[in-house]
Amino acid sequence: RVGQFGRPFEVLKLRTLRVDPADDGRRGVREGDRRITRVGAFLRATCIDEMPQIINVLRGEMSFVGPRPHVPGIEVAGVPMEEIVPGYGARHRLKPGITGWAQVNGLSGTIAGPAMAREVVGHDLAYLSEWSLWLDLRILARTAAVFMLGRDAFEARRHDWRDV
């Protein structure tokens, strides 16, 4: 994955997909993807597959809160993310996080299209510009709520930092 300052690093996760030698990760995982194993579906639904990333945090490659790390050259609808979202690279100023502002606002999972890509990166860039310890604590609290109440605990919406 791409980390802080664009440095590549190996993100640790529990395997949830069958191996597909033709897949380099740029297209992501779609809903109903046949590569997802039965156990993998449970791990993904409960976010347990993300737990090994705590090791990435301890190594200094990730933070608990920040923009989620993307695969190098990530594409949305066959188009590189950099072409869809102006300023995309700015999100690499911070360490990537296990959770982030976009995720606690219902924008987790595969980026379904260009509009969602702009929404997710918009949340990432807003987080970057408004970062504070208080905001990180709010995101961690919302993450705990999502973990306990399910991924649909918060609806996707445009951020208004006055609401944070």
Side-chain angles (χ1 to χ4, degrees):
R1 301 290 172 105
V2 180
Q4 188 176 25
F5 307 121
R7 291 187 197 121
F9 75 102
E10 185 176 352
V11 70
L12 301 174
K13 293 181 77 162
L14 297 177
R15 180 165 287 285
T16 61
L17 304 176
R18 289 178 184 84
V19 176
D20 179 356
D23 181 19
D24 63 2
R26 290 186 292 170
R27 66 183 170 119
V29 179
R30 303 276 181 230
E31 189 175 326
D33 197 313
R34 292 183 296 157
R35 296 174 298 159
I36 300 173
T37 66
R38 273 189 230 165
V39 172
F42 171 77
L43 295 174
R44 293 173 75 84
T46 58
C47 300
I48 293 172
D49 63 321
E50 308 288 351
M51 297 308 285
Q53 291 171 32
I54 292 171
I55 296 169
N56 289 113
V57 172
L58 295 173
R59 288 180 180 170
E61 300 162 329
M62 290 181 71
S63 178
F64 283 107
V65 179
R68 289 291 298 150
H70 289 161
V71 174
I74 186 172
E75 295 179 353
V76 176
V79 179
M81 182 75 85
E82 294 87 1
E83 291 180 27
I84 294 172
V85 184
Y88 170 76
R91 68 192 298 281
H92 301 300
R93 288 188 209 151
L94 293 176
K95 287 182 184 176
I98 294 174
T99 188
W101 184 242
Q103 287 67 43
V104 297
N105 281 289
L107 296 168
S108 62
T110 300
I111 298 173
M116 186 177 181
R118 286 187 281 279
E119 187 82 13
V120 168
V121 176
H123 278 71
D124 291 343
L125 298 179
Y127 168 78
L128 174 74
S129 70
E130 299 290 334
W131 179 88
S132 70
L133 179 58
W134 174 243
L135 180 57
D136 276 5
L137 293 174
R138 295 282 311 265
I139 291 170
L140 288 170
R142 288 177 70 123
T143 299
V146 168
F147 187 74
M148 290 185 285
L149 303 173
R151 287 187 181 217
D152 298 328
F154 298 100
E155 238 176 75
R157 64 178 178 84
R158 294 205 190 291
H159 76 92
D160 180 356
W161 291 104
R162 309 303 173 239
D163 289 348
V164 175

